[in-house]
Every structure is written in C-alpha cells, then in structure tokens.
Amino acid sequence: TTDVQLLQQALQVSNGDLAEAVAFLTEKNAKVPQQDETTYYQTSQVASDKYISVGSQADTNVIDLTGDDKDDLQRAIALSLEESNRAFRETGITDEEQAISRVLEASIAENKASLKRTHTEVWSDSPNPYDRKRIDTCPVGLKNVGNTCWFSAVIQSLFNLLEFQRLVLNYSPPARVHDLPRNQKEHRNLPFMQELRNLFSLMVGSKRKYVDPSRAVEILKDAFKSSESQQQDVSEFTHKLLDWLEDAFQMKAEEDREGEKPKNPMVELFYGRFLAVGVLEGKKFENTEMFGQYPLQVNGFKDLHECLEAAMIEGEIESLHSAENSARSGQEHWFTELPPVLTFELSRFEFNQALGRPEKIHNKLEFPSMLYMDRYMDRNRDITRIKREEIRRLKEHLTLLQQRLERYLSYGSGPKRFPLADVLQYAMEFASSKPVCTSPVEDIDSSAPPGGTTGQPLPPPSTAEQDSLPALETSGSPSVSKNASLYMIFFPPDLQGSINRIHRTIDLMYSDKSMMQVPYRLHAVLVHEGQANAGHYWAYIYDPHQRCWMKYNDISVTKSSWEELVRDSFGGYRNASAYCLMYINDKKPFLIEEEFDKETGQVLSGMDKLPPDLKQYVKEDNELFGKEIEEWDALQARKAQQEKLALATAAADASATATPQQDPEYMEQPSPTNDSKHLQEDTERAISRAAAEQEERSPEALLNAAIKLEYARLLRFAQEDTPPENDYRLQHIIVYFIQNQAPKKILERTLLTQFADRNLAFDERCKSIMNVARAKLDLIKPDEVNMDEYEMWHQAYRNFRETTIFMMSGLELFQKTNYIEALMYLIYSYQYNKELLSKGLYRGHDEELLGYYRRECLLKLNEQAAAMFESGEEAEVSTGLGIMNELVVPCIPLLLIHDTERDLLAVEDMRNRWCSYLGQEMESNLQEKLTDFLPKLLDCSTEIKSFHDPPKLPAYSTLELSERFSRVMAALGRVPTEAR
C-alpha cells in the first residue's frame, strides 16, 4: 500500500511490533479509504485469496521484515512511500497498480515459513466442526489454499463428468513404474494422479462440507517454471492438467496392451479432429489436425455461433470454390471427429500496447444450453457453404433495407432531421386545414395591431427546400385518400416487416432436422470475475439428476438457475463472464450416468463407488473428523460445566457482598443494548487489555482506555465489508449507530451504560470501573445528552432487531417450503424494513432481497392454490380458494403500490394463471366459484382492505439472534441482488 494514513495507522496500532503491523496491513479489514473496490459475495468465513495477480520483477530495494529490528518497520514505510512517488513521477502509474501482486505471489509459497504471524491466516477453518460438516449428500466443496479458485472450478467441472470420475477413481499405476524412462518420472504425473484419486474419493464419500486439495495443487504448480503467472495461465494450467492425465493413462494403456496400439481414455474423451482445407499462394492443401480445448475469440462477436464461424474460416476463401486459380490465401476448418466432451476456451484477454498490460474484454457473448454442431462438420461441407452464401446474400439485402429505413426515419440533411412520416403528417394537416393559395387580404386579422404581420403570405420555398420536401398538390385541399396514397409512396408500410422476416430467415437457416443431428448439451461454465491481472473463479455445473444448475464457488456449493448463470457468464454485467464452456455429446449418456452394481442392478453411490484402497482412505479421514466432533462436544460440555460453577460462585459472592442500597435510576433504566453474556465478555476483555497497556492504573484512566479500545474495535467492524450473513449491526448497537451516523454524545452514553453493567465479573478492578461508569452517567446533565433523542436512537435499533426477527423467521419458513406461515413474516418484514430504509441506507436490510422472497412466496402460494383448484375435488378447491382470498389477494395491493417491474410481472403471472381457466370446460359449480373469485383477483385498487395482524415474535439474546441470522443467510445460497 502507498496510503500514508494507513501506514501510520499500522505503525500506531503495532506499537513497534513488526508481526502486529504486518498482520494489520494484511487483514481483510485494512483497506485504502475511499477505495472504489468491487465487493465479491462469498460464503466462506474469511475472504480467501480472491485474486490471482500478475507477478513482475522483484524490487531490488527489499527490507527483511522477518527479523527482530523494530526500526525496520519505519524504514520499510519510508522506502515504500519514496519508491511509490518515484514510480508515479516517471510513469504516471502508481506502485500499487504496477506490482501489488508481488506480495501475494510470494506469500503463497513462503508466508508460513517467513512471516510466522500470530493473526488469522489468509484462510481459516471454523473451529466448530459442525460448521464444516456435510449435509446429507450435498456436493463437497474445495478449500481455497491460496489463489486456487481456478483449480476448484476446473476440478469440479471434471469431477461431475461421471465417466471421467470413474476413470480417475479406478486408475491403477503401471506395475513396472520403476522401469519407466527417467523423464516420465520427473514429470511427477503419477504422484499427481494418486493425489487426484485421493481428492476425488473424498469428494465422493467425505463427511466434511469441503476438503483440502493442497497436495494435488502443489504438485501441479511445479508445471510452471516461472514465478510470474497471469490470468490467462489458467487455461495453461488446464492444458497441463489434461497432459498429465493423458500421460498417466498412456503408460497404463501401453502396459495393458503390449503389441497393440493402445487406446487412451483421456484422448477418447477430450480430443477431436478437424480438416484444414485451404489455398496457400494459389496452391490447394488439406491437413488433418487434432485438437483438445478449442480456442475462440470473443471480441467483435455477439454469440457463440459467430465466434465459431469466424474460427472456421481464415483469410479470403473465394478461390477454394472457384475453378480459377488465384494468388489468394485462406483456409476453412471442418470437424471430422468431435470429442464426447467439447471444450471451448473463450479468449477474453488482449494486450493493450498503449498501456503495456493485458486487459479483459467485458463484451456480452451469448451461448446456448443446447449447441448443434452439424454446420461445422466436414460431411455437411457442401450444404453449409450453400447456407453461408445464402446468409451472406440476405445480410447484404438486409443492409440495404436498413439504410433505406434509416433515410425514412432521419429525413432531410444537417442537424435537423425528422422521420419522413412526421414530415408528411405535418404537410397533410396543413394542407387539409385551408387552401394553400389564398389572397393575402383574406388572412388579415382585424384584431391585429397596426403594422402587424399575422396575415402576411408565406414566401415561396427555396430550391433546396423544394428538393428536400415531398411534392404536395397545392390546388385546394387534398383529400384524405390522396394523402394516404402519397404517404404510401414515400413510406412503404412493410419495410420493417421485410427486415424482421430476413432476421427470422437467418435465425432459422440451420433449424431443419438434417442440421440438428449433432447435439451438444452445456455441462459446465467456468466464470472469471475481475480484470486481466486479478480476479476470482467459480463454475456453474448442470446436475442432470436434480435437473438444475449448481454453483461451485470454492467451499460453497449451492443451487442456482439458468438466469443467474446467464447474468454472470454472458458478460456485460459487472466484470464477470465465462472464459471456458464445456459441452457434452447429448447422444452419449454414459458421460453423466451413474454406475450400476452388476449383481444387484442398484445405482452405486457414495462409498460403494470406491475401490478398496480409496474406501479405506476415506474411512480413515471420516474417523479423524468424527474424533474432532467428539472432542468439540466434550470441550463444550466442559465449558458449560465451568460456566455453571462460575455463575454459582458469582451468585454466592454477590449475596455475601451485596449492599442493601442500589442505584434506583440504574434499575429503572436497564441497558437498552440488550446485554448478553458475550457483551459482558467483550467488556471484560476491553478492561483487561486496557489494564495491560495503561501505565496509570486509576479506575477512571482504565475506564477511558477501555472505552477507547472497545470503540476502536467496533469502529473496525462498522467499516468492514462483510457478506450478508455476517451482519455486525446485530452483534452490537454501537456498530448500528456508527453506520447510521448517530451523534457522538449518544455513542458515548451508550458505551458508558455498557461499562456500568452490574453483571460484569465481580473482581475488584471491574467493580471499581463499573462504579466510575455509573458515577459518570449520573453526572451527565440533561442539556448534554437529549434523553428524548437518546431513546429515539435506541428505539430505532429495537425496530431494526424486530424487523430482523421477522425477516429471519420468514426466510427460515420459506426454506422449509412452509409458504403459508412464511408469508406474514415476509410481508411485515418488507413493510417495516421499507420504513427503516426511508431514514437511511444502513437502517435496515437489503430491500431487493426481501422483495424477491416476498414475491416468490406469493407465487408459490398461487401455484399451490391453482393446483388445488385444478384437482376439482371439493375440499381441495375450497382450500385453494381460501389461500387466495385470505392470503394472496390481500397482499396484491402491496405489490402494486410501489410499482416495481418485477412485482407487477408477478401479479400479471398470478392473474394470467387463473384467467387461463376461463376458456376451459369445467363443472358448473367450479365455473361459479371461479366467476365469484376472479373480480377480487383482478381488482386493480391499491387500497389495503383487510390484513392479518403481525405474528408474535419470540425473544432472542444478541448472540442467539446473530448466530441464527447468520445460518439463515448462509443457507439461502444466493442473493438476488448485489451486495451493498
């Protein structure tokens, strides 16, 4: 960092301790003030390395920060500032922009050995093993072990190809491995293969939510000799991965089939062939080439087919099809054999010569979920060429029509151009209002002032004007029919229709059955978010058994949707876009089919998939995890027992030392922060730290120091970017006050109240500090702190907590598909939250998130009620209409009143569902009930006529509320709106 303020803050916080300073600067909450930084929503507890950064030449001026010399810290800061200023003067580019990633690159390999810092590492597991426990058969995530999100995305995509998974799990190394050539052993692909087997076996049978891929990653990283890596190298890593796998299977294949030409399953899965047909300086040629991942340029194209068309044709190819020989050169590619797994690399990076660095292309590029490859096959060469020529001719005609339409829409010359239809309309209106040629005398207005020009005749048009205006008859008023005919001459009515028909013809050019015989279904999309030199990777993978898309984002594996995939993958939204597409042959179901037991015919799942050696490996790991859970349970039981003893002792001490007189004011005004045990612990911790750091040990000095430390801690929380599930506002009222800019006096009084709590530990130091805090509260005069304002702020916080409980309860019930009970909680949480947000951005929760689930809940109830109505059974029909009349219909005005597009569409969807029954045959009693119900549903009034009372809320301690809220938000899996 080159920020002076941040460096000085590190120096002050560290008190000369190098490890403390480095830890402070590398913690995730140490950010440059006013920095414009994209926030990435992740479900991991600590933001793991989210950026893979460009390495560059190491600085020659390096200070060793691993020694014990405390002066090195100040020298490092001075050198950093000096170097940054010099670089900026010479290049105009900051040091951070040029080389921020050098530290990250070095830390991946050496942070454990050199820094030995005591603070949280880049990644830290939750100490509670239940947070890391796999839920049922949910897919297993992969831990990010230092810029390895790219590895997770690639491995998960391959693992979910069940044929590939089987090949890896059942691989056995060659028996004569020691007789292999030295160079093959040096490749280390066999050790990697074994680690990949181990990793896959854990992904199949582990009881952990996510597993550690460190061993496989470390071996694969040896493939890169250079310490510098760029974002584009992810594709190189993937190439290297497949090369090693191919190598390992080749050794085994050669051993198994001595004397025969062995088949390599990796080649069979991922490699295809194409024919290059072309002309080079007038001479024709044909070459067959093998390909694996097929590269495609993105820039300048709107969809995948356009990219493929461009990739299949290079240079001028007219001479390929003509009888004449020419000096032109060009070639076409035609696929002769496509692999079962067809992978496209989308090149979204280009080098900016002016800036001397790579840049990412953020253009939108669409791709289909089903891709037909017939038009690119060699066997369809002739018909494809005919269709391409037809498309070329249609596009030429389309260009002419569009130019013609543009002339009508922008008629005239110069800056004042109008649609021709408007020009004609104005002319027709003028001509029909009065004769064009009249006597000037007849138009004189008798009421006009002397010398007025109201009735002066129009001057004759100039030659230029005559050329630019359509000729209109001037002998009397033209008839309407004559005007219409004239309009038709100048503006053919079907011009736009012709353009639309050509577009449709082009779109349908390859839609006949003969060109839809080679179907490929989208299996995985690997996404990159960020810039050319920094970013984060994740994958969307289709689950054919659940028939839904899954999002694999390091340790987080959640259900997703095609809509979310499109948003993140097509490009043009934030900085996220697909960089790799994996399609699978839809006519080869074995690629994604589960394996069956040959004897029982049952589907093999879980540990049954694994060979004996891997079963044992996973069993041992699961036993280790089981022991970890047992130890945690025993530890919690001991802690609970100790707490009971401590409470009993404290109660005994309190009764022995209690004074009969207590402060009535304090008892009448309990702490509005809803103190709980964790708050007392925080207070005691601040007092202990203050005592350790403060030279003056008087109670007042200790109180002031402790309050400053507590405030600094809470200020860091308030300024920290956090995922939705980690909302510090719920953990402490001061965080809420800071974020909402409460007056300083309100903050001070609230903190004093915290330290005046009678429930603090009853040692002498805490008691004395508590008494000083209570005395200070007594001394605060009414003119110093407005108690009405004080109470108003605390009431605002109570409203925020109440809204949170409504929201949390509604989301929990929604996740359990209990939509009837969920609805009222979601309705009231949305309404209360909207009131909170009207007073400030941080007064409440994400409005779009609440709006999304409120809307979804109503749609689900509408769907349930409609299904009941369709059953035709009397009881079901009555229940369904009851849901609509009592729940859905009263809520519709709430969706209409704010007039948001998605809410209006939801209301239309609900109404359309019920209106669709009008044209259907049904029993007369059903018809009668539908006729009675529809007017209520179609009422466009936004008046709220009847509504249920809000549900009663349970009481939560601060700790219970924040923990339960965290679980609910993490379980959502996806947030339909960007993080704040």
Side-chain angles (χ1 to χ4, degrees):
T1 180
T2 59
D3 181 68
V4 182
Q5 184 182 349
L6 188 61
L7 290 168
Q8 288 174 344
Q9 194 177 357
L11 186 61
Q12 184 179 1
V13 168
S14 67
N15 197 25
D17 187 321
L18 287 176
E20 287 282 350
V22 172
F24 176 84
L25 288 168
T26 53
E27 277 179 346
K28 66 174 183 174
N29 59 348
K31 295 191 175 176
V32 181
Q34 305 302 320
Q35 182 178 356
D36 183 18
E37 176 177 301
T38 305
T39 301
Y40 293 88
Y41 171 71
Q42 289 206 331
T43 59
S44 56
Q45 292 174 316
V46 179
S48 54
D49 288 3
K50 294 183 282 190
Y51 303 99
I52 295 180
S53 305
V54 177
S56 55
Q57 295 300 317
D59 283 336
T60 53
N61 298 322
V62 176
I63 290 177
D64 180 14
L65 292 180
T66 60
D68 296 326
D69 187 357
K70 294 185 179 182
D71 291 337
D72 280 348
L73 179 61
Q74 292 179 338
R75 292 199 293 118
I77 292 171
L79 177 62
S80 172
L81 295 175
E82 178 190 340
E83 187 67 18
S84 171
N85 293 336
R86 179 191 61 75
F88 186 77
R89 284 196 302 273
E90 291 178 4
T91 64
I93 302 172
T94 65
D95 181 60
E96 182 183 29
E97 197 171 353
Q98 290 180 344
I100 189 172
S101 62
R102 291 199 292 271
V103 180
L104 289 177
E105 290 292 335
S107 72
I108 294 169
E110 299 176 16
N111 62 349
K112 291 180 183 176
S114 62
L115 273 179
K116 296 180 181 176
R117 67 186 191 187
T118 56
H119 282 247
T120 308
E121 290 293 331
V122 172
W123 176 284
S124 69
D125 288 318
S126 167
N128 184 349
Y130 287 99
D131 292 339
R132 296 178 272 117
K133 189 176 180 181
R134 186 178 181 181
I135 301 170
D136 299 327
T137 56
C138 286
V140 174
L142 292 176
K143 182 175 176 178
N144 190 324
V145 291
N147 290 338
T148 56
C149 47
W150 58 269
F151 178 83
S152 301
V154 172
I155 289 297
Q156 292 281 21
S157 302
L158 294 172
F159 174 80
N160 282 280
L161 284 168
L162 297 186
E163 176 65 9
F164 179 85
Q165 184 190 116
R166 281 188 287 272
L167 287 167
V168 170
L169 290 173
N170 294 299
Y171 178 84
S172 56
R176 299 195 300 270
V177 65
H178 297 293
D179 300 333
L180 291 170
R182 180 178 172 79
N183 64 334
Q184 284 188 333
K185 281 187 278 187
E186 285 177 349
H187 281 169
R188 300 182 69 188
N189 46 20
L190 288 178
F192 173 76
M193 195 69 210
Q194 186 54 46
E195 289 303 336
L196 190 63
R197 290 184 73 235
N198 292 342
L199 182 60
F200 271 28
S201 68
L202 290 174
M203 293 166 74
V204 167
S206 179
K207 292 182 179 178
R208 303 175 191 264
K209 185 187 292 185
Y210 56 88
V211 293
D212 189 335
S214 297
R215 292 180 181 177
V217 171
E218 289 305 319
I219 297 172
L220 186 59
K221 276 184 177 178
D222 287 349
F224 277 77
K225 304 299 179 187
S226 169
S227 61
E228 298 177 16
S229 64
Q230 296 190 10
Q231 209 70 74
Q232 299 95 305
D233 289 339
V234 172
S235 60
E236 199 174 332
F237 269 114
T238 310
H239 281 298
K240 185 64 66 178
L241 172 69
L242 291 176
D243 282 350
W244 284 19
L245 291 169
E246 183 189 341
D247 239 8
F249 277 95
Q250 188 66 25
M251 286 184 252
K252 183 64 178 170
E254 287 172 358
E255 181 183 70
D256 293 346
R257 298 195 179 194
E258 290 186 8
E260 299 178 35
K261 187 177 180 181
K263 282 190 174 183
N264 188 319
M266 290 297 112
V267 175
E268 300 283 319
L269 267 183
F270 296 105
Y271 290 86
R273 285 182 169 78
F274 66 82
L275 187 68
V277 183
V279 174
L280 181 62
E281 296 178 357
K283 295 181 180 178
K284 293 188 177 182
F285 68 86
E286 283 193 8
N287 294 324
T288 300
E289 298 181 34
M290 183 178 275
F291 71 92
Q293 298 178 80
Y294 201 82
L296 295 174
Q297 291 298 319
V298 168
N299 215 357
F301 306 110
K302 70 172 185 179
D303 59 39
L304 187 62
H305 278 299
E306 283 193 4
C307 294
L308 275 164
E309 289 280 354
M312 305 301 275
I313 302 172
E314 297 176 13
E316 299 180 83
I317 58 166
E318 288 87 346
S319 55
L320 286 173
H321 320 309
S322 61
E324 300 174 7
N325 205 357
S326 74
R328 288 175 175 172
S329 297
Q331 65 173 316
E332 293 175 327
H333 290 178
W334 299 96
F335 291 118
T336 55
E337 185 183 338
L338 288 173
V341 182
L342 180 59
T343 307
F344 296 114
E345 282 180 12
L346 303 182
S347 178
R348 281 193 170 270
F349 301 101
E350 61 183 9
F351 195 79
N352 187 317
Q353 297 288 350
L355 296 176
R357 65 185 180 196
E359 287 189 337
K360 187 177 177 187
I361 301 163
H362 296 294
N363 300 357
K364 185 176 182 181
L365 183 84
E366 298 178 1
F367 49 84
S369 58
M370 184 67 78
L371 178 71
Y372 293 95
M373 294 294 292
D374 303 73
R375 69 184 82 174
Y376 311 110
M377 303 302 295
D378 182 51
R379 61 175 177 266
N380 295 326
R381 194 194 303 187
D382 293 336
I383 189 169
T384 299
R385 282 175 175 166
I386 292 169
K387 287 181 180 289
R388 282 177 181 167
E389 178 59 27
E390 178 65 15
I391 288 172
R392 186 192 63 78
R393 198 175 55 75
L394 284 169
K395 284 184 175 178
E396 285 180 358
H397 186 48
L398 183 64
T399 303
L400 291 174
L401 290 177
Q402 286 171 332
Q403 288 172 350
R404 187 176 175 193
L405 180 62
E406 177 61 23
R407 286 200 297 272
Y408 286 121
L409 295 177
S410 301
Y411 180 75
S413 59
K416 292 185 178 179
R417 305 173 76 186
F418 301 96
L420 182 56
D422 291 352
V423 174
L424 290 172
Q425 183 65 33
Y426 300 148
M428 283 156 48
E429 287 174 0
F430 178 79
S432 61
S433 63
K434 62 176 65 185
V436 175
C437 297
T438 58
S439 168
V441 179
E442 292 174 6
D443 281 342
I444 295 175
D445 186 348
S446 59
S447 64
T453 59
T454 306
Q456 292 298 318
L458 294 170
S462 65
T463 308
E465 287 170 333
Q466 287 174 349
D467 291 340
S468 65
L469 289 169
L472 291 173
E473 294 182 46
T474 56
S475 57
S477 299
S479 66
V480 175
S481 61
K482 215 177 252 185
N483 287 338
S485 301
L486 189 63
Y487 180 84
M488 296 285 281
I489 293 168
F490 280 94
F491 189 55
D494 204 29
L495 189 56
Q496 186 62 58
S498 299
I499 290 171
N500 292 339
R501 280 193 294 276
I502 291 175
H503 277 300
R504 281 198 300 274
T505 305
I506 292 172
D507 291 341
L508 297 172
M509 189 62 72
Y510 293 100
S511 61
D512 50 293
K513 280 191 177 180
S514 64
M515 299 300 280
M516 298 175 74
Q517 299 302 307
V518 188
Y520 272 78
R521 185 179 298 278
L522 189 61
H523 164 70
V525 180
L526 280 66
V527 177
H528 170 264
E529 181 171 27
Q531 300 300 331
N533 61 347
H536 178 59
Y537 293 87
W538 68 88
Y540 289 102
I541 302 170
Y542 188 69
D543 185 332
H545 307 292
Q546 295 191 67
R547 295 186 178 180
C548 70
W549 285 94
M550 302 291 289
K551 184 177 181 180
Y552 289 79
N553 190 355
D554 289 337
I555 68 166
S556 169
V557 183
T558 53
K559 278 190 177 182
S560 185
S561 64
W562 175 252
E563 290 72 27
E564 186 183 7
L565 183 153
V566 165
R567 186 196 69 187
D568 287 348
S569 307
F570 278 11
Y573 173 77
R574 296 194 307 197
N575 294 327
S577 54
Y579 72 90
C580 181
L581 306 176
M582 197 177 284
Y583 284 89
I584 55 176
N585 191 322
D586 201 41
K587 291 185 175 180
K588 296 186 176 178
F590 71 89
L591 293 168
I592 51 173
E593 275 183 351
E594 294 282 5
E595 195 174 0
F596 290 85
D597 186 286
K598 292 175 183 175
E599 294 179 2
T600 64
Q602 297 294 315
V603 173
L604 292 175
S605 61
M607 298 281 275
D608 294 336
K609 286 183 173 186
L610 304 178
D613 64 321
L614 293 181
K615 270 185 186 173
Q616 185 60 30
Y617 177 79
V618 175
K619 184 181 175 185
E620 289 171 4
D621 186 74
N622 284 339
E623 285 173 356
L624 282 174
F625 187 58
K627 285 179 182 176
E628 194 179 339
I629 290 176
E630 287 174 12
E631 288 171 3
W632 172 264
D633 290 340
L635 176 64
Q636 298 312 304
R638 283 198 302 274
K639 280 186 177 178
Q641 189 64 30
Q642 288 168 3
E643 283 181 6
K644 283 182 182 177
L645 288 171
L647 286 171
T649 306
D653 291 347
S655 61
T657 59
T659 55
Q661 294 204 352
Q662 294 182 343
D663 184 354
E665 248 183 31
Y666 179 76
M667 295 303 294
E668 287 169 13
Q669 204 163 32
S671 167
T673 56
N674 188 23
D675 292 329
S676 59
K677 185 163 182 61
H678 89 283
L679 186 60
Q680 296 163 26
E681 290 172 353
D682 290 340
T683 310
E684 291 164 12
R685 196 177 299 115
I687 292 171
S688 298
R689 255 187 92 186
E693 296 176 10
Q694 189 73 16
E695 291 181 2
E696 187 182 350
R697 296 301 182 93
S698 70
E700 186 169 2
L702 284 176
L703 173 64
N704 291 337
I707 285 178
K708 282 182 181 177
L709 285 169
E710 180 69 346
Y711 179 77
R713 179 180 77 90
L714 298 171
L715 179 63
R716 282 200 300 274
F717 285 165
Q719 293 174 339
E720 186 174 333
D721 286 334
T722 58
E725 64 265 28
N726 194 12
D727 195 330
Y728 287 122
R729 293 175 300 173
L730 292 171
Q731 297 180 24
H732 204 294
I733 190 172
I734 293 294
V735 176
Y736 182 88
F737 283 177
I738 292 171
Q739 290 189 352
N740 290 290
Q741 301 174 336
K744 185 181 176 184
K745 291 288 184 183
I746 304 296
L747 296 175
E748 289 174 352
R749 185 180 178 93
T750 304
L751 278 169
L752 266 177
T753 306
Q754 176 180 331
F755 282 83
D757 185 4
R758 285 184 179 277
N759 296 314
L760 293 178
F762 280 88
D763 60 80
E764 288 303 315
R765 184 175 62 201
C766 285
K767 281 170 66 179
S768 61
I769 287 174
M770 176 190 70
N771 288 329
V772 171
R774 291 175 61 200
K776 280 181 173 285
L777 280 172
D778 292 341
L779 291 172
I780 295 175
K781 297 175 182 176
D783 59 342
E784 290 178 346
V785 177
N786 184 324
M787 289 309 294
D788 288 341
E789 185 182 20
Y790 181 83
E791 179 55 29
M792 182 192 74
W793 275 99
H794 282 278
Q795 184 59 49
Y797 184 66
R798 284 193 286 270
N799 293 343
F800 168 70
R801 280 173 56 93
E802 188 176 290
T803 302
T804 303
I805 296 170
F806 273 113
M807 172 183 175
M808 179 182 71
S809 304
L811 292 175
E812 274 183 332
L813 290 164
F814 184 92
Q815 289 166 19
K816 294 173 183 174
T817 68
N818 190 343
Y819 304 121
I820 291 175
E821 287 188 38
L823 182 63
M824 284 302 107
Y825 286 99
L826 292 171
I827 289 293
Y828 277 99
S829 64
Y830 183 91
Q831 296 302 112
Y832 292 163
N833 192 64
K834 194 165 188 68
E835 291 174 20
L836 293 176
L837 293 177
S838 67
K839 297 176 183 176
L841 179 62
Y842 297 100
R843 293 285 187 124
H845 295 285
D846 189 330
E847 187 175 22
E848 284 190 34
L849 182 142
L850 274 170
Y852 171 84
Y853 283 100
R854 180 182 71 162
R855 186 167 57 247
E856 282 297 301
C857 195
L858 283 166
L859 287 168
K860 296 282 187 186
L861 284 172
N862 188 73
E863 190 67 27
Q864 283 183 2
M868 290 176 174
F869 183 81
E870 287 174 3
S871 72
E873 295 178 14
E874 187 66 27
E876 289 279 286
V877 170
S878 297
T879 304
L881 289 175
I883 289 172
M884 293 302 295
N885 285 318
E886 294 172 24
L887 295 173
V888 178
V889 170
C891 292
I892 284 180
L894 297 174
L895 299 188
L896 296 175
I897 198 166
H898 299 304
D899 200 29
T900 61
E901 183 181 354
R902 289 178 181 176
D903 284 348
L904 295 179
L905 287 173
V907 172
E908 284 308 302
D909 286 345
M910 289 188 277
R911 287 172 170 169
N912 288 341
R913 176 66 185 267
W914 290 92
C915 289
S916 67
Y917 299 138
L918 288 172
Q920 299 178 16
E921 290 186 8
M922 62 179 71
E923 298 291 336
S924 58
N925 64 323
L926 287 183
Q927 188 73 52
E928 186 178 340
K929 288 181 178 180
L930 182 66
T931 307
D932 288 339
F933 163 66
L934 275 178
K936 303 172 191 172
L937 181 68
L938 300 176
D939 182 7
C940 295
S941 168
T942 55
E943 180 188 350
I944 300 171
K945 293 169 184 169
S946 63
F947 217 63
H948 290 261
D949 292 328
K952 290 184 179 179
L953 297 179
Y956 288 99
S957 71
T958 299
L959 185 60
E960 287 171 337
L961 179 59
S962 53
E963 285 184 348
R964 193 165 176 183
F965 180 82
S966 178
R967 285 197 300 273
V968 171
M969 294 301 290
L972 291 183
R974 61 181 284 272
V975 180
T977 177
E978 283 187 271
R980 187 160 57 240

